[in-house]
Amino acid sequence: QVQLVESGGGLVRPGGSLRLSCAASGRTFSTYAMGWFRQAPGKEREFVAAISWSGISTTYADSVKGRFTISRDNAKNTVYLQMNSLKPGDTAVYYCNRNPPTLGSSWGQGTQVTVSS
């Protein structure tokens, strides 16, 4: 029963950086592994990064490995995605959710990231 609100997106130049935030409400937030996902126009939603409930273990899609960093602050019920060396191919709406998402998971509005020169 976690409500998730993404923020921090915007328009950046190639090579720029952006930090996304995912604010969550719910008593059991800290017990869930969390992830970031993205969807570009005309494409399926894809996995970007995930972090364990403790924050110790992280996983990244090959396309963002070395450029993106996922982190979380359970005391603040917030998950972050630091995005560096952004490329035009990173342009998408970014969503956060439990990882893996369940069949009953609901997706919010996400936050738009546009990388363009």
Side-chain angles (χ1 to χ4, degrees), residues 16-18 20 36-38 46-50 58-71 80-87 89-92 94 113 115:
S17 297
L18 208 58
L20 307 183
W36 284 95
F37 308 81
R38 67 187 183 186
E46 66 175 346
F47 169 81
V48 176
T58 58
T59 305
Y60 299 92
D62 288 341
S63 59
V64 307
K65 195 171 299 181
R67 300 187 297 117
F68 291 10
T69 302
I70 187 172
S71 62
Y80 305 95
L81 185 67
Q82 178 66 47
M83 305 184 295
N84 299 325
S85 301
L86 284 162
K87 305 175 181 179
D90 296 319
T91 296
Y94 284 70
V113 172
V115 185

Side-chain angles (χ1 to χ4, degrees), residues 6-10 18 20-21 36 92-95 108-113:
E6 302 92 343
S7 63
L18 208 58
L20 307 183
S21 297
W36 284 95
V93 178
Y94 284 70
Y95 304 88
Q109 293 183 347
T111 185
Q112 176 71 51
V113 172

